[in-house]
Amino acid sequence: MEAACPSGSWSGALCRLLLLTLAILIFASDACKNVTLHVPSKLDAEKLVGRVNLKECFTAANLIHSSDPDFQILEDGSVYTTNTILLSSEKRSFTILLSNTENQEKKKIFVFLEHQTKVLKKRHTKEKVLRRAKRRWAPIPCSMLENSLGPFPLFLQQVQSDTAQNYTIYYSIRGPGVDQEPRNLFYVERDTGNLYCTRSVDREQYESFEIIAFATTPDGYTPELPLPLIIKIEDENDNYPIFTEETYTFTIFENCRVGTTVGQVCATDKDEPDTMHTRLKYSIIGQVPPSPTLFSMHPTTGVITTTSSQLDRELIDKYQLKIKVQDMDGQYFGLQTTSTCIINIDDVNDHLPTFTRTSYVTSVEENTVDVEILRVTVEDKDLVNTANWRANYTILKGNENGNFKIVTDAKTNEGVLCVVKPLNYEEKQQAILQIGVVNEAPFSREASSRSAMSTATVTVNVEDQDEGPECNPPIQTVRMKENAEVGTTSNGYKAYDPETRSSSGIRYKKLTDPTGWVTVDENTGSIKVFRSLDREAETIKNGIYNITVLASDQGGRTCTGTLGIILQDVNDNGPFIPKNTVIICKPTMSSAEIVAVDPDEPIHGPPFDFSLESSTSEVQRMWRLKAINDTAARLSYQNDPPFGSYVVPITVRDRLGMSSVTSLDVTLCDCITENDCTRRVDPRIGGGGVQLGKWAILAILLGIALLFCILFTLVCGASGTSKQPKVIPDDLAQQNLIVSNTEAPGDDKVYSANGFTTQTVGASTQGVCGAVGSGVKNGGQETIEMVKGGHQTSESCRGAGHHHTLDSCRGGHTEVDNCRYTYSEWHSFTQPRLGEKVYLCNQDENHKHAQDYVLTYNYEGRGSVAGSVGCCSERQEEDGLEFLDNLEPKFKTLAEACMKR
């Protein structure tokens, strides 16, 4: 548009103004309030031109753009120049485009720039121009004392701008203390720039204020950038140092070394850090008890340490210190605070427990157990009910047999001496014990000065009591030969009086005798053989026979002992073979190993001598024995005896000649292993017993019941069939399947399959014949027979129709017998007819080969000898039924049962 207007004249300027006004009118719907900024004729680059209130126009704007690239618009509306600009005309304008990218809303602000000279001429024609030294618009250091007493408002400093020489400048401030909390604390005079404070300030609440000063012309032009002003609040020592705790409590062990750290105290001061106002000094100003002085405090860190090693809890267990902290590095005019520190002295085991007496005397009756006989006490200055005070007692000497035990009473800390094993007055009348005591916790001091254990002596007197007999040792033994005669006597069990060491006056009684072999003499305790002794009996273990004896005195007191009778072995048993059944598998074995045992001791046992014992020479001829070792021999057969069971008597002798004969049942079996022979019953072997379990018997019974059900069903079916005679179809060569055992009448139906026709005749027909075979009930027995199919018979039985009954074949069983022929006759009758049917099967109605004639199939495995029977399959040779002459044995047996030759 500006190109259409002449340049360099008032008319051109007027033209551009009109065009701009026209543009404003065009965009009035989207335009905001116009803004006019008064600027000098020259604007340097990056110079603040003025500020535009963007929020008043469009609060939701998130994109700001200037139509003139010489100006840059900031988010706060500040307008800066990007290049140096010389205003050739009196006015220049550009547009600020505001838009919201989310809802596509747009607004425009038109900015007009007017030359400053005209405004100055209008406004300064009557003003006196002040001439003064040039000053810079820069931050001026400023501070004020906290808690100032005024007078208020208190002058702080003056803010001035160099541009005040050329323009009328108005001063203003913003920030904390002005329009932010604390509000209205500072203000500036608009014309002079004098900065004032309206009230006192606490530095601990506000250490400084950072406010922004502005210099603007009356029309809103800002010739200077905003000026940050920092007003620092000078600290005053108006806060006392304060301890972090009202009372400090520390614990330290007694007898600790000098310089041991007890604890550390700490104080804080709200005044300005790193100044004399916060430089603290700690000290101890009192101690209870006052002497001796045992602690010191570091003036800077507040750490409390010990100055002596004479801390004794048993004398003083707690100290109380009064401590002080002062600022100004502890100078007299500094502010100070006091607190209390309690130091508890913890116990260590620095005192040994000591017996209150060095010797004790007590007594106890013999044969008593688990009784308390003495209590001993100790003294200990350490803290009660702690490990440093609790005592552990021990018996140092005199308790080699373990008769005594000493334990600690947890409540009284006393040592309790008890008897845990009975004492015997006859063996020992007095016991002298040395006992010692220590604490649970180890002793803390060196043991070089004195012993770490206190000791005492305890004398225990054993009191005699009237005792019963004593069975000692509790197990006694005697020796007797196993072949001792009945009535033989031997020493028995002996008990004695522990006081007199005599057995007189003691009576004996037998308590247990497993087999009743012996008796016990009541007065002497000796034993007598009552029955024959047998060392090899089952009740004997390791050759010893045990009986129990009860010994009692005149007072009725008793004791019990065991008498072990050691039976001395004699050679009264010959060796024998425990396994008297032998199986020899002839295909795999030629001999069997036999082992003999002897119940007697080894001196009467092996080596054994094996021999065949028989009065007949047959055993000697068939069997042979060969020794393997001292207890085993090998039995082998000879001369190839047949399978069967044999009795082979074998004599076995021990080293002393004692012998016995064992008859072995030897089985020669056709087997691989012995188990194979024992599991089956072979007709070549003697009868073997087979035992049936309950489940096998149940299975047999169920099978019998099922068989009866089948027989009953067959009988019922046969009886129904006899009432309904069967009739053979007319064309015997076409017959494939004969329906038998029809138990109810039915309709006449004809089934056609592959060119063959089958007819079933109603119940009125009486003839029984078949092309292949039929089931005939004869005398209650059902048989399968090959039935006559000769050409003459067929013709004689054929009527006028193609399918009819064979009346000539009626006559019950007699007529059926007349229809039976040999297999050769049947073959000669059926062979030509089957060949004719096969030939016709290969052709359709137009005498052409059928579509499915000679089809190719994949190999599906070896088929039967008979081949295919399909009507359209490849025709077999004319003698294709010769395979019936070479049937397997099972089928031959079936054929013989069905034919009468």
Side-chain angles (χ1 to χ4, degrees):
M1 289 185 299
E2 294 182 358
C5 297
S7 59
S9 63
W10 283 101
S11 59
L14 181 58
C15 178
R16 285 191 292 271
L17 181 60
L18 291 175
L19 290 175
L20 180 60
T21 304
L22 180 60
I24 293 174
L25 293 176
I26 294 174
F27 299 100
S29 59
D30 295 333
C32 295
K33 183 180 178 180
N34 299 337
V35 177
T36 302
L37 299 178
H38 299 278
V39 296
S41 60
K42 181 181 180 181
L43 295 176
D44 296 331
E46 297 181 358
K47 183 72 173 179
L48 178 64
V49 178
R51 183 177 288 104
V52 179
N53 191 350
L54 304 180
K55 299 297 182 181
E56 182 181 0
C57 177
F58 193 14
T59 57
N62 55 14
L63 182 61
I64 304 172
H65 179 68
S66 174
S67 63
D68 193 341
D70 291 336
F71 298 93
Q72 180 183 5
I73 315 301
L74 302 183
E75 293 181 356
D76 61 347
S78 300
V79 181
Y80 284 86
T81 58
T82 58
N83 302 307
T84 302
I85 300 174
L86 296 175
L87 296 180
S88 59
S89 60
E90 294 180 356
K91 284 191 177 183
R92 181 170 178 173
S93 63
F94 62 91
T95 305
I96 299 177
L97 302 177
L98 304 177
S99 60
N100 189 326
T101 57
E102 296 179 358
N103 54 19
Q104 303 300 325
E105 185 178 357
K106 297 181 179 180
K107 293 291 182 68
K108 297 180 180 180
I109 300 177
F110 294 94
V111 181
F112 297 90
L113 302 180
E114 293 184 1
H115 202 284
Q116 183 70 32
T117 54
K118 298 180 68 175
V119 178
L120 290 177
K121 289 179 180 180
K122 294 179 181 179
R123 296 191 179 184
H124 292 280
T125 53
K126 297 182 180 181
E127 293 181 2
K128 183 179 180 181
V129 179
L130 299 178
R131 297 184 179 273
R132 57 184 177 182
K134 186 175 182 181
R135 300 182 61 183
R136 297 198 314 166
W137 177 255
I140 304 173
C142 180
S143 65
M144 64 173 293
L145 185 65
E146 72 167 327
N147 302 322
S148 175
L149 300 179
F152 298 103
L154 179 64
F155 175 78
L156 298 180
Q157 68 173 357
Q158 184 182 23
V159 180
Q160 289 186 343
S161 173
D162 295 341
T163 59
Q165 298 177 4
N166 301 322
Y167 307 101
T168 298
I169 298 299
Y170 291 160
Y171 298 97
S172 62
I173 57 175
R174 285 194 221 167
V178 184
D179 55 354
Q180 301 176 18
E181 293 295 333
R183 297 177 181 273
N184 303 322
L185 179 61
F186 304 102
Y187 73 92
V188 65
E189 291 182 346
R190 186 186 68 170
D191 298 327
T192 63
N194 292 333
L195 182 62
Y196 293 92
C197 178
T198 60
R199 58 184 181 271
S200 61
V201 182
D202 187 3
R203 192 209 64 84
E204 285 69 39
Q205 187 176 4
Y206 304 103
E207 295 183 359
S208 63
F209 295 91
E210 184 175 352
I211 61 178
I212 305 299
F214 299 93
T216 59
T217 59
D219 55 4
Y221 170 66
T222 306
E224 300 283 2
L225 293 175
L227 176 65
L229 291 178
I230 297 177
I231 302 175
K232 182 179 180 183
I233 308 302
E234 297 292 342
D235 184 42
E236 182 185 31
N237 191 18
D238 57 343
N239 290 279
Y240 285 82
I242 300 174
F243 282 102
T244 56
E245 297 181 19
E246 294 183 0
T247 302
Y248 292 89
T249 302
F250 302 111
T251 301
I252 189 173
F253 287 104
E254 62 177 331
N255 301 324
C256 61
R257 297 180 180 181
V258 176
T260 302
T261 299
V262 178
Q264 183 179 14
V265 299
C266 184
T268 59
D269 196 325
K270 294 182 180 180
D271 290 326
E272 186 176 0
D274 301 325
T275 63
M276 292 295 291
H277 299 164
T278 56
R279 185 173 295 179
L280 307 181
K281 191 172 185 179
Y282 301 92
S283 61
I284 298 175
I285 60 176
Q287 175 182 306
V288 178
S291 61
T293 302
L294 302 175
F295 306 98
S296 66
M297 178 180 286
H298 194 281
T300 303
T301 61
V303 175
I304 303 174
T305 56
T306 59
T307 59
S308 174
S309 61
Q310 301 302 318
L311 291 173
D312 192 350
R313 190 207 62 84
E314 287 72 32
L315 297 178
I316 301 174
D317 61 352
K318 182 172 65 175
Y319 293 88
Q320 180 173 323
L321 305 179
K322 186 176 181 180
I323 56 178
K324 180 187 73 172
V325 61
Q326 190 173 17
D327 61 13
M328 302 300 293
D329 201 17
Q331 298 184 34
Y332 69 93
F333 50 83
L335 302 180
Q336 62 181 7
T337 303
T338 61
S339 182
T340 302
C341 179
I342 297 175
I343 302 175
N344 295 316
I345 308 303
D346 205 353
D347 184 46
V348 297
N349 190 18
D350 57 344
H351 293 87
L352 289 172
T354 57
F355 287 103
T356 56
R357 296 169 55 185
T358 58
S359 62
Y360 300 89
V361 178
T362 185
S363 62
V364 62
E365 289 187 355
E366 64 173 335
N367 300 324
T368 57
V369 66
D370 295 331
V371 294
E372 176 185 326
I373 61 175
L374 180 65
R375 280 181 174 261
V376 295
T377 58
V378 294
E379 292 180 348
D380 196 329
K381 296 181 180 180
D382 291 321
L383 187 60
V384 178
N385 293 327
T386 63
N388 300 328
W389 174 81
R390 286 189 290 269
N392 280 342
Y393 298 90
T394 182
I395 301 175
L396 302 176
K397 295 180 181 179
N399 192 32
E400 288 76 12
N401 294 330
N403 299 102
F404 304 96
K405 180 181 70 173
I406 188 168
V407 295
T408 303
D409 189 330
K411 296 182 179 180
T412 63
N413 208 35
E414 294 177 326
V416 182
L417 184 63
C418 304
V419 177
V420 295
K421 184 177 179 181
L423 295 167
N424 193 341
Y425 175 81
E426 288 71 26
E427 295 179 356
K428 195 173 186 179
Q429 292 78 34
Q430 188 181 71
I432 299 176
L433 307 177
Q434 185 181 17
I435 59 176
V437 61
V438 294
N439 292 122
E440 289 184 1
F443 189 57
S444 62
R445 294 186 177 180
E446 297 294 336
S448 58
S449 59
R450 56 173 180 167
S451 174
M453 178 181 291
S454 176
T455 60
T457 302
V458 179
T459 301
V460 181
N461 296 317
V462 183
E463 297 178 354
D464 186 25
Q465 64 176 201
D466 190 9
E467 302 177 82
E470 182 175 342
C471 295
N472 191 19
I475 300 176
Q476 301 177 15
T477 59
V478 294
R479 292 182 176 271
M480 297 185 70
K481 290 187 177 182
E482 65 172 327
N483 61 349
E485 297 180 357
V486 176
T488 302
T489 60
S490 176
N491 294 331
Y493 192 89
K494 292 296 182 181
Y496 60 92
D497 188 343
E499 298 178 358
T500 61
R501 310 303 295 178
S502 173
S503 299
S504 61
I506 296 178
R507 305 177 71 84
Y508 301 92
K509 179 182 179 181
K510 183 177 66 172
L511 291 180
T512 59
D513 184 2
T515 55
W517 283 348
V518 297
T519 60
V520 178
D521 187 87
E522 183 180 5
N523 297 320
T524 62
S526 60
I527 60 174
K528 181 185 292 186
V529 178
F530 182 70
R531 292 189 180 93
S532 298
L533 305 178
D534 187 3
R535 180 183 173 279
E536 289 74 31
E538 294 180 356
T539 57
I540 303 300
K541 294 182 179 180
N542 299 324
I544 300 176
Y545 181 67
N546 293 322
I547 64 173
T548 305
V549 179
L550 176 69
S552 60
D553 60 4
Q554 296 178 355
R557 292 180 290 270
T558 62
C559 69
T560 303
T562 300
L563 178 64
I565 303 174
I566 302 176
L567 298 177
Q568 297 178 349
D569 184 45
V570 295
N571 193 18
D572 57 345
N573 292 281
F576 66 95
I577 302 172
K579 182 180 178 181
N580 56 6
T581 300
V582 178
I583 297 176
I584 300 177
C585 294
K586 289 187 65 178
T588 59
M589 300 167 56
S590 61
S591 62
E593 183 178 331
I594 57 177
V595 179
V597 295
D598 194 334
D600 294 327
E601 289 188 355
I603 59 173
H604 301 142
F608 299 143
D609 178 41
F610 296 86
S611 62
L612 295 173
E613 181 69 22
S614 179
S615 59
T616 63
S617 61
E618 184 68 17
V619 175
Q620 301 288 341
R621 186 183 66 82
M622 294 178 58
W623 305 99
R624 181 177 59 196
L625 275 175
K626 182 178 180 181
I628 299 176
N629 51 37
D630 291 346
T631 60
R634 188 176 302 281
L635 176 65
S636 59
Y637 61 84
Q638 55 187 358
N639 297 326
D640 192 18
F643 295 107
S645 297
Y646 303 90
V647 177
V648 181
I650 297 178
T651 302
V652 185
R653 291 181 177 81
D654 59 18
R655 66 168 63 187
L656 299 180
M658 180 66 68
S659 65
S660 66
V661 179
T662 302
S663 295
L664 295 183
D665 294 331
V666 182
T667 300
L668 294 180
C669 184
D670 185 10
C671 57
I672 303 300
T673 62
E674 295 183 7
N675 293 334
D676 297 339
C677 188
T678 57
R679 284 200 299 261
R680 72 187 184 192
V681 179
D682 196 306
R684 294 171 295 180
I685 302 177
V690 178
Q691 296 182 354
L692 297 179
K694 57 182 181 179
W695 296 109
I697 296 174
L698 179 61
I700 293 174
L701 294 178
L702 292 176
I704 294 173
L706 181 61
L707 181 60
F708 275 111
C709 292
I710 296 174
L711 293 177
F712 179 75
T713 303
L714 293 177
V715 170
C716 293
S719 62
T721 306
S722 63
K723 296 178 182 180
Q724 300 177 6
K726 307 174 184 62
V727 179
I728 301 176
D730 183 35
D731 192 354
L732 299 181
Q734 296 177 354
Q735 182 65 34
N736 288 331
L737 180 63
I738 296 177
V739 179
S740 61
N741 293 336
T742 303
E743 299 181 2
D747 298 334
D748 293 345
K749 295 183 179 180
V750 178
Y751 301 90
S752 177
N754 298 332
F756 294 94
T757 304
T758 302
Q759 181 182 20
T760 303
V761 187
S764 60
T765 306
Q766 303 295 328
V768 181
C769 292
V772 179
S774 64
V776 181
K777 185 172 175 73
N778 185 7
Q781 182 177 4
E782 189 171 337
T783 61
I784 300 176
E785 302 172 335
M786 301 300 294
V787 183
K788 183 183 76 172
H791 183 73
Q792 294 81 1
T793 303
S794 176
E795 294 296 330
S796 64
C797 294
R798 184 184 302 273
H802 183 71
H803 298 289
H804 59 276
T805 60
L806 299 180
D807 295 334
S808 62
C809 294
R810 297 179 181 175
H813 301 293
T814 303
E815 294 297 328
V816 171
D817 293 338
N818 294 332
C819 294
R820 297 172 183 171
Y821 280 87
T822 63
Y823 174 78
S824 59
E825 294 176 348
W826 156 253
H827 184 271
S828 62
F829 172 76
T830 59
Q831 186 63 29
R833 285 164 176 77
L834 288 175
E836 180 182 358
K837 292 296 181 181
V838 170
Y839 177 78
L840 294 177
C841 183
N842 296 335
Q843 298 179 359
D844 55 12
E845 296 178 356
N846 298 326
H847 301 283
K848 295 181 180 181
H849 290 294
Q851 294 181 359
D852 61 345
Y853 176 62
V854 187
L855 300 179
T856 303
Y857 294 92
N858 291 331
Y859 177 74
E860 296 182 353
R862 182 178 180 181
S864 65
V865 181
S868 174
V869 295
C871 68
C872 296
S873 301
E874 184 178 3
R875 182 170 59 185
Q876 303 292 332
E877 298 178 358
E878 292 184 358
D879 55 349
L881 297 177
E882 293 178 356
F883 72 92
L884 294 175
D885 294 331
N886 299 317
L887 297 176
E888 293 181 1
K890 293 182 180 180
F891 293 95
K892 289 183 178 180
T893 303
L894 179 62
E896 290 174 1
C898 296
M899 293 187 304
K900 288 185 177 181
R901 297 183 180 274

PDB file of all heavy atoms in Angstrom, residues 557-575:
ATOM      1  N   ARG A 557      14.266-105.555 103.060  1.00  0.00           N
ATOM      2  CA  ARG A 557      14.879-104.743 102.018  1.00  0.00           C
ATOM      3  C   ARG A 557      15.454-105.671 100.950  1.00  0.00           C
ATOM      4  O   ARG A 557      16.002-106.737 101.285  1.00  0.00           O
ATOM      5  CB  ARG A 557      15.955-103.845 102.616  1.00  0.00           C
ATOM      6  CG  ARG A 557      15.387-102.745 103.538  1.00  0.00           C
ATOM      7  CD  ARG A 557      16.509-101.880 104.105  1.00  0.00           C
ATOM      8  NE  ARG A 557      17.320-102.612 105.070  1.00  0.00           N
ATOM      9  CZ  ARG A 557      17.067-102.647 106.375  1.00  0.00           C
ATOM     10  NH1 ARG A 557      16.042-101.974 106.880  1.00  0.00           N
ATOM     11  NH2 ARG A 557      17.837-103.338 107.171  1.00  0.00           N
ATOM     12  N   THR A 558      15.348-105.269  99.706  1.00  0.00           N
ATOM     13  CA  THR A 558      15.696-106.155  98.594  1.00  0.00           C
ATOM     14  C   THR A 558      16.610-105.450  97.605  1.00  0.00           C
ATOM     15  O   THR A 558      16.739-104.230  97.590  1.00  0.00           O
ATOM     16  CB  THR A 558      14.439-106.624  97.846  1.00  0.00           C
ATOM     17  OG1 THR A 558      13.784-105.483  97.294  1.00  0.00           O
ATOM     18  CG2 THR A 558      13.485-107.372  98.770  1.00  0.00           C
ATOM     19  N   CYS A 559      17.205-106.278  96.777  1.00  0.00           N
ATOM     20  CA  CYS A 559      17.919-105.811  95.589  1.00  0.00           C
ATOM     21  C   CYS A 559      17.786-106.883  94.524  1.00  0.00           C
ATOM     22  O   CYS A 559      17.487-108.040  94.834  1.00  0.00           O
ATOM     23  CB  CYS A 559      19.389-105.493  95.894  1.00  0.00           C
ATOM     24  SG  CYS A 559      20.394-106.957  96.261  1.00  0.00           S
ATOM     25  N   THR A 560      17.978-106.506  93.302  1.00  0.00           N
ATOM     26  CA  THR A 560      17.780-107.418  92.181  1.00  0.00           C
ATOM     27  C   THR A 560      19.071-107.497  91.371  1.00  0.00           C
ATOM     28  O   THR A 560      19.707-106.471  91.101  1.00  0.00           O
ATOM     29  CB  THR A 560      16.634-106.931  91.282  1.00  0.00           C
ATOM     30  OG1 THR A 560      15.449-106.815  92.077  1.00  0.00           O
ATOM     31  CG2 THR A 560      16.371-107.905  90.153  1.00  0.00           C
ATOM     32  N   GLY A 561      19.392-108.725  90.962  1.00  0.00           N
ATOM     33  CA  GLY A 561      20.573-108.946  90.143  1.00  0.00           C
ATOM     34  C   GLY A 561      20.285-109.937  89.038  1.00  0.00           C
ATOM     35  O   GLY A 561      19.279-110.648  89.057  1.00  0.00           O
ATOM     36  N   THR A 562      21.177-110.000  88.061  1.00  0.00           N
ATOM     37  CA  THR A 562      21.037-110.907  86.925  1.00  0.00           C
ATOM     38  C   THR A 562      22.171-111.901  86.948  1.00  0.00           C
ATOM     39  O   THR A 562      23.344-111.517  87.093  1.00  0.00           O
ATOM     40  CB  THR A 562      21.056-110.124  85.602  1.00  0.00           C
ATOM     41  OG1 THR A 562      19.976-109.192  85.591  1.00  0.00           O
ATOM     42  CG2 THR A 562      20.914-111.061  84.410  1.00  0.00           C
ATOM     43  N   LEU A 563      21.810-113.191  86.794  1.00  0.00           N
ATOM     44  CA  LEU A 563      22.796-114.255  86.736  1.00  0.00           C
ATOM     45  C   LEU A 563      22.830-114.772  85.304  1.00  0.00           C
ATOM     46  O   LEU A 563      21.821-115.239  84.774  1.00  0.00           O
ATOM     47  CB  LEU A 563      22.441-115.383  87.703  1.00  0.00           C
ATOM     48  CG  LEU A 563      23.402-116.581  87.686  1.00  0.00           C
ATOM     49  CD1 LEU A 563      24.797-116.154  88.157  1.00  0.00           C
ATOM     50  CD2 LEU A 563      22.871-117.707  88.556  1.00  0.00           C
ATOM     51  N   GLY A 564      23.986-114.661  84.668  1.00  0.00           N
ATOM     52  CA  GLY A 564      24.162-115.159  83.310  1.00  0.00           C
ATOM     53  C   GLY A 564      24.857-116.505  83.343  1.00  0.00           C
ATOM     54  O   GLY A 564      26.002-116.616  83.790  1.00  0.00           O
ATOM     55  N   ILE A 565      24.158-117.561  82.862  1.00  0.00           N
ATOM     56  CA  ILE A 565      24.719-118.913  82.818  1.00  0.00           C
ATOM     57  C   ILE A 565      25.349-119.093  81.444  1.00  0.00           C
ATOM     58  O   ILE A 565      24.646-119.149  80.418  1.00  0.00           O
ATOM     59  CB  ILE A 565      23.621-119.965  83.065  1.00  0.00           C
ATOM     60  CG1 ILE A 565      22.925-119.696  84.408  1.00  0.00           C
ATOM     61  CG2 ILE A 565      24.197-121.369  83.024  1.00  0.00           C
ATOM     62  CD1 ILE A 565      21.734-120.605  84.651  1.00  0.00           C
ATOM     63  N   ILE A 566      26.670-119.174  81.430  1.00  0.00           N
ATOM     64  CA  ILE A 566      27.401-119.357  80.185  1.00  0.00           C
ATOM     65  C   ILE A 566      27.425-120.845  79.879  1.00  0.00           C
ATOM     66  O   ILE A 566      28.058-121.635  80.607  1.00  0.00           O
ATOM     67  CB  ILE A 566      28.819-118.790  80.285  1.00  0.00           C
ATOM     68  CG1 ILE A 566      28.782-117.298  80.631  1.00  0.00           C
ATOM     69  CG2 ILE A 566      29.574-119.018  78.983  1.00  0.00           C
ATOM     70  CD1 ILE A 566      30.149-116.691  80.845  1.00  0.00           C
ATOM     71  N   LEU A 567      26.704-121.267  78.825  1.00  0.00           N
ATOM     72  CA  LEU A 567      26.613-122.668  78.446  1.00  0.00           C
ATOM     73  C   LEU A 567      27.793-123.022  77.566  1.00  0.00           C
ATOM     74  O   LEU A 567      27.968-122.460  76.477  1.00  0.00           O
ATOM     75  CB  LEU A 567      25.297-122.922  77.714  1.00  0.00           C
ATOM     76  CG  LEU A 567      24.018-122.650  78.535  1.00  0.00           C
ATOM     77  CD1 LEU A 567      22.788-122.863  77.676  1.00  0.00           C
ATOM     78  CD2 LEU A 567      23.965-123.532  79.768  1.00  0.00           C
ATOM     79  N   GLN A 568      28.592-123.970  78.079  1.00  0.00           N
ATOM     80  CA  GLN A 568      29.743-124.413  77.314  1.00  0.00           C
ATOM     81  C   GLN A 568      29.295-125.459  76.295  1.00  0.00           C
ATOM     82  O   GLN A 568      28.596-126.403  76.628  1.00  0.00           O
ATOM     83  CB  GLN A 568      30.795-124.996  78.254  1.00  0.00           C
ATOM     84  CG  GLN A 568      31.339-123.979  79.248  1.00  0.00           C
ATOM     85  CD  GLN A 568      32.348-124.587  80.207  1.00  0.00           C
ATOM     86  OE1 GLN A 568      32.500-125.811  80.264  1.00  0.00           O
ATOM     87  NE2 GLN A 568      33.020-123.752  80.981  1.00  0.00           N
ATOM     88  N   ASP A 569      29.710-125.276  75.071  1.00  0.00           N
ATOM     89  CA  ASP A 569      29.222-126.106  73.973  1.00  0.00           C
ATOM     90  C   ASP A 569      29.854-127.483  74.021  1.00  0.00           C
ATOM     91  O   ASP A 569      31.033-127.653  74.355  1.00  0.00           O
ATOM     92  CB  ASP A 569      29.550-125.416  72.642  1.00  0.00           C
ATOM     93  CG  ASP A 569      28.988-126.181  71.466  1.00  0.00           C
ATOM     94  OD1 ASP A 569      27.824-126.587  71.565  1.00  0.00           O
ATOM     95  OD2 ASP A 569      29.705-126.327  70.462  1.00  0.00           O
ATOM     96  N   VAL A 570      29.027-128.486  73.640  1.00  0.00           N
ATOM     97  CA  VAL A 570      29.488-129.854  73.393  1.00  0.00           C
ATOM     98  C   VAL A 570      28.997-130.228  72.006  1.00  0.00           C
ATOM     99  O   VAL A 570      28.022-129.668  71.491  1.00  0.00           O
ATOM    100  CB  VAL A 570      28.959-130.838  74.454  1.00  0.00           C
ATOM    101  CG1 VAL A 570      29.528-130.517  75.820  1.00  0.00           C
ATOM    102  CG2 VAL A 570      27.442-130.834  74.497  1.00  0.00           C
ATOM    103  N   ASN A 571      29.671-131.194  71.413  1.00  0.00           N
ATOM    104  CA  ASN A 571      29.347-131.575  70.044  1.00  0.00           C
ATOM    105  C   ASN A 571      28.154-132.525  70.061  1.00  0.00           C
ATOM    106  O   ASN A 571      28.289-133.736  69.921  1.00  0.00           O
ATOM    107  CB  ASN A 571      30.562-132.226  69.389  1.00  0.00           C
ATOM    108  CG  ASN A 571      30.385-132.353  67.883  1.00  0.00           C
ATOM    109  OD1 ASN A 571      29.553-131.696  67.292  1.00  0.00           O
ATOM    110  ND2 ASN A 571      31.185-133.233  67.267  1.00  0.00           N
ATOM    111  N   ASP A 572      26.971-131.944  70.209  1.00  0.00           N
ATOM    112  CA  ASP A 572      25.750-132.733  70.280  1.00  0.00           C
ATOM    113  C   ASP A 572      24.838-132.524  69.077  1.00  0.00           C
ATOM    114  O   ASP A 572      23.709-132.994  69.072  1.00  0.00           O
ATOM    115  CB  ASP A 572      24.979-132.398  71.554  1.00  0.00           C
ATOM    116  CG  ASP A 572      24.652-130.924  71.638  1.00  0.00           C
ATOM    117  OD1 ASP A 572      25.243-130.134  70.876  1.00  0.00           O
ATOM    118  OD2 ASP A 572      23.814-130.543  72.482  1.00  0.00           O
ATOM    119  N   ASN A 573      25.315-131.811  68.079  1.00  0.00           N
ATOM    120  CA  ASN A 573      24.510-131.581  66.876  1.00  0.00           C
ATOM    121  C   ASN A 573      25.360-131.857  65.649  1.00  0.00           C
ATOM    122  O   ASN A 573      26.492-131.378  65.534  1.00  0.00           O
ATOM    123  CB  ASN A 573      24.000-130.140  66.807  1.00  0.00           C
ATOM    124  CG  ASN A 573      22.986-129.856  67.895  1.00  0.00           C
ATOM    125  OD1 ASN A 573      21.819-130.209  67.800  1.00  0.00           O
ATOM    126  ND2 ASN A 573      23.452-129.204  68.973  1.00  0.00           N
ATOM    127  N   GLY A 574      24.805-132.660  64.750  1.00  0.00           N
ATOM    128  CA  GLY A 574      25.485-132.907  63.503  1.00  0.00           C
ATOM    129  C   GLY A 574      25.149-131.826  62.481  1.00  0.00           C
ATOM    130  O   GLY A 574      24.086-131.197  62.534  1.00  0.00           O
ATOM    131  N   PRO A 575      26.014-131.600  61.512  1.00  0.00           N
ATOM    132  CA  PRO A 575      25.711-130.599  60.471  1.00  0.00           C
ATOM    133  C   PRO A 575      24.573-131.093  59.574  1.00  0.00           C
ATOM    134  O   PRO A 575      24.416-132.297  59.366  1.00  0.00           O
ATOM    135  CB  PRO A 575      27.023-130.472  59.709  1.00  0.00           C
ATOM    136  CG  PRO A 575      27.734-131.753  59.943  1.00  0.00           C
ATOM    137  CD  PRO A 575      27.344-132.235  61.323  1.00  0.00           C
TER     138      PRO A 575
END
